[in-house]
Amino acid sequence: MSHDWEGLVQEDRVHRALYTDPAIFNAEMTKIFGGTWVYIAHESEIPNVNDYVTRKLGLRPVIVLRDSNNILRVLYNRCTHRGTTLCRHEKGNARAFQCPYHGWNFLNSGKLRGVPWADGYSADIKDEKFNLAQAPRVESYRGFIFATLNLEAPILLNWLGPMTNPIDEWLDRNPGGKIVVCEANRFKYKGNWKLAYDNSSDGYHVIYSHRSLLEMENRLSDASNKGMAYYKNSPDSLAMYVQYMGNGHHFKDKRPNLQARPGGLWAIESTHPGKEYAEAEFRRKYGERAESLLDLAGSEPVNINIFPNLSLLGNHIQVFQPISVNETDAVWYGTRIEDVNGDIGDALGTINALRMRTQEGFPNFGEVDDLANFEQIQVGLQCEEDEWIYMNRGHGIPDRIKTNADGTITAPATDEVFMREYIKEWKRLMKGPTPLSIKREP
Ligand code: FES
Ligand SMILES: [Fe+2]
């Protein structure tokens, strides 16, 4: 397949084919979801030896696990006999996996352990070719596990680059610099996966797309200072900003709007069911301490978007999982904290309950607005003759966009520079030769 990538991706616009062409989607599953680092799971989901979760690397079903020797592995969830899905569970703890079809049995290192009635084989069943395929490179950064099939990709740390700063800050406000990933709020939309990534630092849509949520918040409380309210008047003149971080990653930072005081973060927390009651109880019980404790439940006002499929926002982790050219899963995992330093005490349960409750705020009442737009874009892009979509906001305006000494690019909150830049990285990956590899246990 050859595409005119320069023609399809221009300085201020991209062709509809990026979102509608099944051949481009198939190439993405190799060159992006395979050819670069892809977020696959969090270490806290598999804390113990032999723990596993089943996920996808692009369209490849995989088992992400901590093997019996405590090594993180991403095994292909595909039996080497005739190819069926080996493990049919979402998560569990297992030293070995037995194929449901003919019973081949694999250790969690990927090695074939045995087959029923082995005397029926003339081939050497110990040959390495019968061991499960696995991702040749698996690395984690502070608990976030990534995998790639590209032996030539840079090490994870270099690929994340300056993105490690916002990730560190997002983690370090929690006790011990840790979060534990919990269950998820699962959405599916009929649209291309990039529509979600395009939107993930989009400060331009907020006041229009999420109007009903903002109006509801205004009815329920004085919401003039809540998270999204910053976009109301002239968002580009505020201290918040969007920053392109290189390698397709981008970062939206609304923290400069925060009052730096205990309770400052909680003060901008959006409304969610039961919030006022829980808050009052908290203040009654913990007095002075309540403010800083409530901050531990608050949603950090950032969007940390790690190309191509991970977004840390508020106190959630969102993962974009492509299904087909026009179908995507958008999964919002909740997170909880642990009392690592022993100074939270019996407030921990309430803090974590409040963190869960924030799943009922924006993810339920805001995300649906976004998904509706993604689906309508996919409909609009069926108009073959109307070929372009524009990402030109901020383009060509002198002094609006600043390139920093470290090569990152900063712009006002509603700017689309992050889209123009990440799609260049997308183009670079799509154009390049992508040698993919698997490995098997010897
Ligand atoms: S397909 Fe797995 S044992 Fe036959
Ligand atoms: Fe949105």
Side-chain angles (χ1 to χ4, degrees), residues 236-257:
D236 283 353
S237 63
L238 295 174
M240 61 182 180
Y241 59 93
V242 65
Q243 190 174 11
Y244 179 71
M245 308 291 263
N247 293 338
H249 316 311
H250 43 82
F251 173 46
K252 166 66 69 61
D253 192 0
K254 291 162 274 182
R255 294 172 305 176
N257 300 330

Side-chain angles (χ1 to χ4, degrees), residues 72-129:
L72 292 174
R73 293 184 190 269
V74 175
L75 304 179
Y76 279 43
N77 193 5
R78 173 204 180 282
C79 181
T80 48
H81 176 217
R82 297 249 290 276
T84 193
T85 306
L86 178 61
C87 174
R88 313 274 171 96
H89 303 284
E90 273 179 25
K91 58 183 172 188
N93 182 280
R95 284 184 55 240
F97 298 93
Q98 183 161 51
C99 182
Y101 199 173
H102 313 92
W104 282 25
N105 197 295
F106 299 87
L107 292 171
N108 63 10
S109 64
K111 239 180 147 77
L112 180 60
R113 179 201 206 179
V115 304
W117 306 298
D119 56 357
Y121 284 101
S122 64
D124 176 12
I125 213 74
K126 295 277 173 227
D127 191 308
E128 133 178 9
K129 72 184 178 196

Side-chain angles (χ1 to χ4, degrees), residues 199 205 209-210 362 366 370:
N199 183 71
H205 76 294
S209 289
H210 302 302
F362 189 83
D370 293 326

